[in-house]
Amino acid sequence: MPKIVTDDGVEIYYKDWGSGQPIVFSHGWPLSADDWDAQMLFFLHEGYRVIAHDRRGHGRSTQVADGHDMDHYADDLAALTAHLDLSDAVHVGHSTGGGEVVHYIARHGEDRVAKAAIIAAVPPLMLQTDANPGGLPKSVFDDLRAQLKASRSEFYTALPAGPFYGFNRPGVETREPLVRNWWRQGMQGGAKAHYDGIAAFSETDFTEDLRKITVPVLVMHGDDDQIVPYADAGPLSAELLPNGTLKTYPGFPHGMPTTHADVINADLLEFIRS
């Protein structure tokens, strides 16, 4: 399996298919590069080089005990782009991966970057604070940690079967293969990485990162997102980005790159080609 080794000795697994302008995909918590199957195949057939990695502690990457924070996530992504010597790359991040993309560009610069898209992403800040009253209370994230500690397998079944894909909404039929694939990806990763990752995606403030980014960024968010609520995420990120564009999807859930891949892929393609 193709892997790079970071400066602190972590093996990062990645996929690298095709040729042409590179599109680099950063996945959400607690999943893996496999969550981008629908996008990787679509853009490969559109003539792009597609790349996706498993975040440290996730999927097939090393299950280390430490380094599960946005600085390390961004540095690992930078190490991958340097190893592959990418230029003119488009970075696409979903959920936690959207935070990773934003922090990577702000922390490591735009020399290798052409554009970015963040989908149902955690920026600017998920946690409720005095400066962010619309965020979610810390008790919400404490509950996630408690469920993970009590039974990760049960938690990783209930989350995709319910709010992640919107299967808990009236009239929405549960697609069991999606639930099983979510569980598979989650259980492949490490419990410690996933536990620590909750703080990374909920407590990191990306406000200043967003303000630094000058390349075009497409902000894509469903207004029925039950994981990263729309009002305190997508619109605020688009306002903070100097060159950001917000695209809102009525009724779409958090996992819309999977449940509505045809729509998301078409809009990403239009943005990349524009």
Side-chain angles (χ1 to χ4, degrees), residues 73-90:
Y73 296 167
D75 292 351
D76 292 347
L77 181 54
L80 177 63
T81 60
H83 173 78
L84 298 176
D85 194 23
L86 301 182
S87 60
D88 197 35
V90 178

Side-chain angles (χ1 to χ4, degrees), residues 152-205:
R152 189 164 62 125
S153 182
E154 289 179 302
F155 179 37
Y156 287 2
T157 300
L159 193 59
F164 192 92
Y165 292 123
F167 293 151
N168 57 340
R169 293 305 197 203
V172 179
E173 182 179 353
T174 301
R175 296 164 61 182
E176 286 294 341
L178 298 189
V179 176
R180 292 196 297 269
N181 190 43
W182 202 102
W183 179 91
R184 176 191 67 83
Q185 292 179 72
M187 295 304 294
Q188 191 176 27
K192 179 64 162 57
H194 296 168
Y195 186 91
D196 292 353
I198 295 171
F201 73 65
S202 66
E203 298 178 17
T204 303
D205 189 341

Side-chain angles (χ1 to χ4, degrees), residues 231-243:
D232 201 55
L236 300 185
S237 288
E239 289 177 10
L240 289 164
L241 287 159
N243 198 4

